Amino acid sequence: MTQRVAIIGAGPSGMAQLRAFDSARKAGRPIPEIVCYEKQDDWGGQWNFSWRTGTDKYGEAVHSSMYRNLWSNGPKEALEFAEYTFDEHFGRPISSYPPRAVLWDYINGRAEKSDVKKYVQFSTVVRWVQFDDKTSKFTVTVHNLVSGETESSEFDQVIVGSGHFSFPNVPDFAGIETFPGTLIHAHDFRGAERLADRNVLLIGASYSAEDIGIQAFKMGARSVTMSYRTAPMGYEWPEGIQERPLVQRFDGNSVYFADGTVEQYDAVILCTGYLHHYPFLPSDLALSSPNNLYPKALYRGVVSEANNNLFYLGAQDQWFTFNMFDAQAWYVRDVILGDASLPSAAEQQTDMKHWVERLENLGSASEEIRFQADYIRDLINQTDYPMFDLDEVSRIFLAWKKDKQHNILNYRDQVYPSVLTGTMSCVHHTPWLNELDDSLERYLSHPAKDELDDVVSSSDSSAASA
């Protein structure tokens, strides 16, 4: 009987898994029958931008948290595919911090070149996955959102690549129901243009708050405040951006903070993170974990302890992204193909305990980066995925953090060399703070003169004379 594998989700993780199987096929290795289910109309996961919030045109929860004018907040050199470089895709150097559309073009280009779209059933949502102990098979029930048809199929293995940054964590605050202004979670944020000339409060102190905060500043917010629970981010913010301790309560548009200050706001954005959420899995199979670098229930970070034929991709908190998903996907592929054998349950426990204990003793961001680099190195050593200089990527991450501390507003203008090709990134034709067009066409253009600089300069002159 033909071995069958289901992949849930065709975002960067699911696309990596498709690419891993295709790589084996091209090497002459027999691969199973593969079916990938993707509830969106196209692949790309988070990178597949939608203007919609709440529910999509089919009434399903919107997956993507992407927004207009989102640029990579980490150097592209730290996420470059080891077997498909930016040089190969674009044919020339580009900057180290591309916008969303450019990164989507990159991941889409690799997948298109691999001809793996034939494995994907789009507009198809997985409703339920059930494992039968007697047959040792999974029954996967899916709903085609276009035709309205529901069907079930049996699979030998299931790979969950749906990610864990789409189900928002929405805490409650006393009196928040009285706030009369704009109130959303970062998941529903689609652009900072409407925050111009408004006093904006972001609750949270991680990447979402940081990036939406400086986006709001860039788009002309009157003021930006970020409220932290434990510690401030501590950047040298420009005038107009500040940090405050945690919100205690709301009273209309007045917000009371833990330090006793009270301020008024027009818009509040909850940058309070996301939760692991797998509504298609029964509780004995669904991963339940905080967002950390090594979920306790996953051997080598991917194999479910509850069922070794169930796999998770990208379930970790992430410094590394695309290339980590590749390393995971190649390892999962080899486990499924029988080329990588799994040890006993007891040995799996011992290995997981080693990583978890190391995780619990990490004391800094640099240690976290090196931890994840070592994790990826361990995976690649089990497969034929091309090894790359993980220590150099770690150094790039540390340089990136230093650049942000130096100037949070212009770190995206810095450049780094590719770890794979040595190509030095070029400086983008327009400084990030002045660039108001994030399209692929604008990004790849060679403007003789920056028209947007004229607009910004004219605006600044008008403001100064007003």
Side-chain angles (χ1 to χ4, degrees):
M1 187 176 292
T2 303
Q3 183 183 15
R4 303 187 76 228
V5 176
I7 302 171
I8 302 175
S13 293
M15 294 165 81
Q17 191 65 70
L18 292 171
R19 180 69 187 87
F21 278 118
D22 190 66
S23 175
R25 181 190 63 79
K26 288 178 177 175
R29 297 162 65 185
I31 65 171
E33 179 184 341
I34 301 164
V35 182
C36 179
Y37 299 110
E38 170 55 54
K39 78 172 186 177
Q40 298 183 102
D41 294 335
D42 200 359
W43 55 18
Q46 291 285 353
W47 298 93
N48 183 11
F49 172 76
S50 172
W51 63 269
R52 296 177 183 271
T53 60
T55 56
D56 64 17
K57 63 184 179 182
Y58 303 111
E60 298 293 319
V62 168
H63 180 79
S64 181
S65 302
M66 281 287 162
Y67 47 88
R68 289 184 304 278
N69 298 310
L70 182 142
W71 293 60
S72 175
N73 66 350
K76 76 180 195 305
E77 291 75 22
L79 55 77
E80 191 168 17
F81 297 123
E83 41 83 88
Y84 186 75
T85 65
F86 282 97
D87 286 359
E88 180 179 353
H89 182 74
F90 290 103
R92 65 177 176 87
I94 62 172
S95 73
S96 284
Y97 295 88
R100 179 207 61 83
V102 175
L103 284 175
W104 186 90
D105 191 74
Y106 174 59
I107 61 175
N108 177 66
R110 181 177 77 151
E112 292 281 5
K113 185 177 180 180
S114 302
D115 190 31
V116 294
K117 216 162 197 172
K118 61 190 176 188
Y119 299 119
V120 186
Q121 293 186 20
F122 292 103
S123 307
T124 303
V125 61
V126 175
R127 296 294 189 207
W128 193 244
V129 176
Q130 189 69 49
F131 183 73
D132 188 324
D133 289 318
K134 293 180 180 178
T135 63
S136 295
K137 291 185 181 294
F138 296 92
T139 298
V140 179
T141 301
V142 301
H143 178 203
N144 185 300
L145 299 170
V146 176
S147 68
E149 295 179 354
T150 299
E151 64 177 22
S152 298
S153 301
E154 285 191 339
F155 293 91
D156 298 284
Q157 288 90 17
V158 170
I159 302 167
V160 179
S162 56
H164 62 110
F165 295 110
S166 60
F167 189 77
N169 174 45
V170 185
D172 197 11
F173 293 92
I176 196 169
E177 71 280 359
T178 69
F179 182 71
T182 300
L183 174 60
I184 60 172
H185 189 277
H187 177 63
D188 295 321
F189 176 75
R190 289 296 179 267
E193 298 91 336
R194 62 175 172 166
L195 299 177
D197 200 35
R198 305 178 79 185
N199 295 312
V200 181
L201 170 65
L202 300 107
I203 301 179
S206 193
Y207 295 120
S208 292
E210 171 197 307
D211 198 55
I212 294 175
I214 59 176
Q215 287 280 355
F217 176 85
K218 176 179 177 176
M219 294 298 180
R222 184 182 304 155
S223 73
V224 175
T225 301
M226 302 179 200
S227 171
Y228 58 88
R229 178 185 297 275
T230 305
M233 287 178 271
Y235 297 115
E236 292 188 15
W237 302 107
E239 184 178 353
I241 300 181
Q242 64 176 348
E243 293 192 75
R244 286 278 183 269
L246 191 62
V247 169
Q248 297 297 292
R249 64 185 179 91
F250 287 77
D251 183 5
N253 66 353
S254 296
V255 180
Y256 294 73
F257 297 94
D259 62 359
T261 58
V262 183
E263 297 192 25
Q264 285 73 46
Y265 296 97
D266 307 299
V268 174
I269 303 174
L270 303 175
C271 301
T272 46
Y274 297 86
L275 301 171
H276 282 276
H277 184 61
Y278 308 98
F280 47 83
L281 288 173
S283 58
D284 60 333
L285 294 179
L287 175 66
S288 178
S289 173
N291 183 28
N292 64 32
L293 295 173
Y294 203 93
K296 292 181 179 180
L298 298 180
Y299 172 67
R300 281 206 155 101
V302 290
V303 184
S304 172
E305 181 183 21
N307 187 317
N308 280 181
N309 284 310
L310 176 66
F311 306 87
Y312 287 83
L313 301 177
Q316 297 76 13
D317 197 5
Q318 295 154 13
W319 289 97
F320 293 75
T321 52
F322 297 167
N323 41 27
M324 180 174 72
F325 305 153
D326 270 11
Q328 293 178 327
W330 256 251
Y331 176 70
V332 169
R333 176 204 68 186
D334 285 359
V335 170
I336 290 174
L337 296 183
D339 296 322
S341 59
L342 295 177
S344 67
E347 290 171 311
Q348 291 181 39
Q349 279 278 355
T350 299
D351 187 81
M352 288 187 286
K353 183 179 179 182
H354 160 75
W355 286 99
V356 170
E357 287 179 350
R358 182 178 166 188
L359 171 66
E360 291 172 348
N361 288 310
L362 297 179
S364 66
S366 62
E367 290 179 0
E368 290 183 3
I369 292 166
R370 293 188 178 96
F371 174 91
Q372 196 153 75
D374 288 346
Y375 163 69
I376 295 169
R377 185 180 291 109
D378 178 63
L379 286 177
I380 294 177
N381 281 334
Q382 317 302 316
T383 72
D384 64 356
Y385 188 75
M387 181 60 78
F388 56 100
D389 192 340
L390 286 152
D391 293 331
E392 181 60 26
V393 176
S394 297
R395 284 190 285 272
I396 288 175
F397 272 126
L398 294 175
W400 159 69
K401 288 186 66 63
K402 186 175 179 180
D403 288 340
K404 289 171 69 176
Q405 289 292 339
H406 178 70
N407 191 329
I408 190 64
L409 294 181
N410 76 1
Y411 74 88
R412 285 186 171 98
D413 299 327
Q414 310 310 309
V415 293
Y416 303 93
S418 167
V419 171
L420 299 165
T421 66
T423 299
M424 176 60 77
S425 289
C426 65
V427 176
H428 186 53
H429 52 67
T430 306
W432 174 81
L433 196 59
N434 293 350
E435 182 61 276
L436 302 180
D437 184 345
D438 69 339
S439 67
L440 177 68
E441 295 73 21
R442 165 71 182 179
Y443 180 81
L444 294 177
S445 68
H446 297 279
K449 184 179 180 182
D450 195 332
E451 308 91 338
L452 288 176
D453 270 351
D454 290 341
V455 173
V456 172
S457 296
S458 172
S459 242
D460 288 345
S461 298
S462 299
S465 61

